[in-house]
Amino acid sequence: MIFIFRFLNFFQKSFLSKQIFAFLAVAFILVTNLSIQFFVPSYLPMSLFLGAVVVSAWIGGCRAGVTATAVGAGAEVYLSFRDGTDPFGEKAEMLRLGIYFFQGFIISYIFGRYHLAEQKVIEGERKLEEALEREREAHLITEEARRSLARNQDHLEKETLRAEKASQVK
């Protein structure tokens, strides 16, 4: 399980790795679709590609989700041509493709906003930690100054008593 999280964490680092993940997610769904079509020839679910969009957007944010949406649509068009239907010739297929794009963009947008909110929370936590560290340092300096002042006051009182005794002796 830890391996999976480390694997997924790798794809959250750079723009290119997020795009690669989007392509890999769609490729996995394409292979799954082709495998299912081997056993059930009339099986052509576009909804499986939404899984790739969700995972890509969750890992990589809005851009990776949009990439997965576009690549998934291309894979769906490929599967339609492979099946012998023209996805651009039938209104139902065009509507299905349009709905897929709409769903993919909405999912990508939502996860993109989630990533932005997550980044703001992380930045806020970092700033809070810095402020707390500065406050701790200021508290330590104040405590040291208070102790030093107390030592100086004790020393001054002793010197004052010594001076009073010396003036009384004279």
Side-chain angles (χ1 to χ4, degrees):
M1 190 66 148
I2 292 173
F3 171 74
I4 292 172
F5 288 121
R6 286 185 183 162
F7 176 74
L8 293 177
N9 190 32
F10 167 76
F11 287 106
Q12 290 181 333
K13 296 189 187 293
S14 72
F15 173 76
L16 182 62
S17 64
K18 292 174 186 178
Q19 301 307 310
I20 290 171
F21 184 81
F23 277 95
L24 290 175
V26 172
F28 174 76
I29 297 299
L30 179 62
V31 168
T32 303
N33 251 344
L34 291 173
S35 300
I36 292 172
Q37 281 184 354
F38 181 73
F39 296 106
V40 184
S42 62
Y43 182 75
L44 250 173
M46 187 170 233
S47 61
L48 283 181
F49 288 106
L50 284 176
V53 172
V54 168
V55 172
S56 297
W58 175 49
I59 296 296
C62 186
R63 289 180 183 168
V66 169
T67 300
T69 301
V71 174
E76 178 64 26
V77 168
Y78 163 75
L79 288 174
S80 293
F81 277 126
R82 187 174 177 267
D83 191 38
T85 60
D86 181 12
F88 304 112
E90 299 177 22
K91 289 182 181 180
E93 290 296 317
M94 288 294 291
L95 180 63
R96 196 170 81 142
L97 199 58
I99 290 171
Y100 169 77
F101 267 113
F102 179 73
Q103 290 173 332
F105 287 127
I106 293 295
I107 290 168
S108 299
Y109 177 77
I110 289 170
F111 278 107
R113 299 305 295 177
Y114 168 78
H115 275 276
L116 288 175
E118 185 178 45
Q119 289 171 355
K120 286 181 181 180
V121 166
I122 290 170
E123 180 66 20
E125 287 176 346
R126 185 188 62 76
K127 287 180 179 179
L128 178 62
E129 281 296 320
E130 289 174 358
L132 288 173
E133 185 61 32
R134 285 192 305 272
E135 193 265 331
R136 278 187 224 116
E137 290 172 2
H139 180 71
L140 289 174
I141 291 170
T142 304
E143 281 297 310
E144 181 60 35
R146 188 188 61 77
R147 282 189 221 113
S148 178
L149 185 60
R151 282 191 304 266
N152 288 341
Q153 191 175 8
D154 286 343
H155 180 69
L156 186 59
E157 286 174 2
K158 288 178 186 177
E159 288 297 319
T160 305
L161 285 176
R162 201 176 297 145
E164 286 177 0
K165 285 182 185 179
S167 68
Q168 287 176 357
V169 171
K170 290 185 179 179

